[in-house]
Amino acid sequence: MSDATIEVYENEARRFPPPEAFAAGALVSDRSLYEEAEADYEAFWARQARELLTWNQDFDTTLVWDLPFAQWFVGGKLNVSENCLDRHVAAGRADKVAYHWEGEPGDTRTITYGQLLSDVEKFANVLKGFGLAAGDRVAIYLPMIPELPVAMLACTRIGVAHSVIFGGFSPTSIVDRCDDAEAKLIITADAGWRRGAPSGLKSAVDTALADGAPTVEHVIVVNRCDTDPTMVDGRDHWWHDLMAGADDHCPPVPLDSEQLLYLLYTSGTTAKPKGIMHTTGGYLTQVAFTHKYVFDLRPDTDVYWCAADIGWVTGHSYIVYGPLANGATSVMYEGTPDTPRETERHGDRSAWTKDRLWDIIERYGVTQLYTAPTAIRTFMKWGVQWPDGHDLSSLRVLGTVGEPINPEAWMWYHEHIGGRSCPIVDTWWQTETGSHMISPLPGVTTTIPGTATTPVPGVFAEVVDQQGNTVDVGGGYLTITRPWPAMLRGIWGDPQRYFETYWSEYPGRYFAGDGARVDEEGNIWILGRTDDVMNVSGHRISTSEIESALVDHAAVAEAAVVGANDEVTGQAIIGYVILIGGFDDSPELREEIRQHVATKLGPIARPKAVNVTPDLPKTRSGKIMRRLLRQIAQGEEIGDTTTLADPSVVDALRASAE
Ligand code: WTA
């Protein structure tokens, strides 16, 4: 894009907020929030905690900070499910819709706060029936169906921590996560709908339990797709049978503010995923705060849609906990927003239409849409224009998350979805931060395509150079300078790794792992990961996880993986492998190796390409030069190769990539 075009776009975007976009009422937020947080940020968060949540016992100390360990709202007691459900029902909103749920095939369910509470109480009793109590861990491996938030909230009701495992992960991933957390029970479904067909989940759990995860004693199975899975006597139980016999009264347990709420595993720079720990009071405060202010939420009238999957942190914080704590009405959809809509028969792709997103927005009158740049770029690629025939005028705020959004995609979102009248909130945050950290507030912060702008009130970020000096204008590394309520409390079972990964690189600061640039106005432009973590369709995958899956294949001696720029998915996984002597390169073998990774880690980790090479580019000290591999994968000019032990390897690599 030329500089002139960007300037036109920037000028256009700078007109925000246009007053007409907010004709419906005064803005939820204003500048005073920033001033208040700047003046005394602990007092600011204490006020938010008391105003946004209901406490069974008030806290006496806002923050205890003993780097790297933070405790927020110490001495306070509360229950997450009570905050998300009971208090709304008690306030007379039992009939208010919590979720307009829509399955991928188009089936729908409307779930009110009253119904959700009743299901959560019953399921909490089911969990108790299996002997689970505060402090235990449960794994959840479900598709995007209402039983997923029910299961999560039922855990919170009795103090059991959940570990949600994304449905696209493999049996090996299930074993690793259950073993690490010592999960006692798994909640799953026979299958979920995925691109026109049921995709099995129970079968993956069966494979996992045949191989390992010895701590798991019971499996609860939701019948979503009628695929008639095998049920193991004594171990496996149908959700509907258990619920039919469950009492619907289960009082919420008042829990310590620092009680473990959940574990969510995420990729780091080693092959072993990290169990990120989130706790109760601080997490719920910050997700409720950001959900309200970043999305300019009017809970009585809005219909909010976060089109993420609950298997990732975005869904935890902005489909389940934030919206429910605020008593909002959400859309919850089983597929991805770029899943075409089937108008005729299942599986006949020629009959699918590509207006799924507009169709849902129009039918439910969605006011806030929160999605990822990869989905936006898919629509751009499809060539969809301002969706004529669909009325999207209900939209008021558009959100984006997961990866840097390129200015072209930002403008397309702004024009074709937002009809040029919705502010775009580009929200930077991580599994570890639990909650939005850097984002504009609609109508308050001037937006510019491509920048997440400035930290939300109560969050303090700085870009630093390699030595840790603050960069006022220019590029460097993104750090957070003070603890925040929703911050991770640690890595499950590995306090040392927690300290080393996040708090040792720049002493006194949290290091996010992202590169960033600050402009003259102080806006923060996120440039992406600086470590060996890739971002594929907004999902974090580590290069070393894939490398270890590659070398696990019988034919592979050595492997290196890079994320190459990809028009739609942001980055694409490209593997380079050296074969063990005796194996010959062939398209079939490469395909088999790709499939091996998918089987080990799950379909999302399948490399886009695997190239066979006689050698890998290494420095004289033996370190693989990923930069070079990336440049080759992207078909770019190769930079300096003088540090290579054997410069001739470059030609061989080029040949293998063709
Ligand atoms: C990237 C997802 C640019 C970043 C919530 C971060 C972003 C990683 C943005 C966390 C954004 C997330 N702009 N980059 N608005 N949001 N990222 O843990 O590299 O799945 O470190 O959390 O995604 O990914 P995670």
Side-chain angles (χ1 to χ4, degrees), residues 14 57 82 95 100 142 145 152 188 222 301 303 392 407 416-417 467 472 476 490 496 498 506 512 556-557 623:
R14 273 169 204 275
Q57 185 183 305
E82 183 178 9
D95 294 333
H100 291 289
L142 281 171
I145 53 177
M152 295 163 78
T188 188
V222 178
T301 47
V303 178
L392 305 189
H416 295 279
I417 310 275
Q467 285 72 43
D472 292 326
Q496 190 57 29
Y498 167 59
Y506 301 105
V556 177
K623 210 170 160 321

Side-chain angles (χ1 to χ4, degrees), residues 266 312-314 400-405 426-432 452 512 514 526 528-529 535 538-540:
T266 189
W312 306 96
V313 75
T314 305
T400 159
V401 62
E403 52 177 314
I405 181 164
D426 177 358
T427 61
W428 177 87
W429 59 295
Q430 307 177 297
T431 306
E432 293 87 340
D514 280 325
I526 310 291
R529 307 288 307 185
N535 192 325
H539 298 149
R540 272 165 70 167

Side-chain angles (χ1 to χ4, degrees), residues 219-441:
V219 181
I220 299 178
V221 188
V222 178
N223 184 20
R224 162 71 182 127
C225 299
D226 275 325
T227 58
D228 196 20
T230 39
M231 298 289 280
V232 175
D233 228 18
R235 187 195 74 181
D236 301 349
H237 315 266
W238 285 111
W239 171 288
H240 54 260
D241 289 343
L242 297 168
M243 289 292 269
D247 183 40
D248 71 353
H249 183 64
C250 175
V253 179
L255 295 161
D256 195 276
S257 177
E258 282 298 331
Q259 172 83 28
L260 183 67
L261 176 63
Y262 66 77
L263 298 177
L264 186 59
Y265 285 80
T266 189
S267 294
T269 52
T270 70
K272 185 177 166 11
K274 307 176 274 197
I276 301 300
M277 298 164 64
H278 282 294
T279 61
T280 301
Y283 174 82
L284 200 62
T285 297
Q286 197 176 337
V287 297
F289 171 78
T290 50
H291 180 257
K292 174 175 172 181
Y293 291 102
V294 169
F295 295 117
D296 188 54
L297 183 76
R298 293 111 200 240
D300 293 339
T301 47
D302 279 348
V303 178
Y304 155 91
W305 182 22
C306 167
D309 190 294
I310 296 176
W312 306 96
V313 75
T314 305
H316 280 61
S317 299
Y318 297 107
I319 297 178
V320 182
Y321 294 118
L324 294 178
N326 289 331
T329 294
S330 297
V331 169
M332 177 177 167
Y333 168 57
E334 187 181 23
T336 52
D338 52 355
T339 304
R341 186 159 62 111
E342 291 173 59
T343 47
E344 286 166 21
R345 291 184 307 278
H346 280 331
D348 174 7
R349 289 189 180 217
S350 63
W352 289 9
T353 64
K354 290 178 169 170
D355 64 346
R356 185 101 214 196
L357 183 100
W358 336 143
D359 176 62
I360 291 180
I361 295 171
E362 181 176 32
R363 240 171 333 106
Y364 296 101
V366 170
T367 45
Q368 290 97 343
L369 172 68
Y370 191 30
T371 189
T374 184
I376 298 165
R377 288 193 298 262
T378 308
F379 300 128
M380 291 171 74
K381 200 171 151 193
W382 285 348
V384 260
Q385 293 302 313
W386 167 252
D388 43 6
H390 288 287
D391 177 7
L392 305 189
S393 59
S394 57
L395 284 170
R396 213 174 66 241
V397 178
L398 301 178
T400 159
V401 62
E403 52 177 314
I405 181 164
N406 44 318
E408 290 90 341
W410 197 104
M411 281 312 300
W412 191 91
Y413 200 20
H414 171 63
E415 279 179 34
H416 295 279
I417 310 275
R420 300 195 170 202
S421 63
C422 303
I424 292 186
V425 287
D426 177 358
T427 61
W428 177 87
W429 59 295
Q430 307 177 297
T431 306
E432 293 87 340
T433 71
S435 174
H436 295 157
M437 298 293 278
I438 304 177
S439 169
L441 295 185

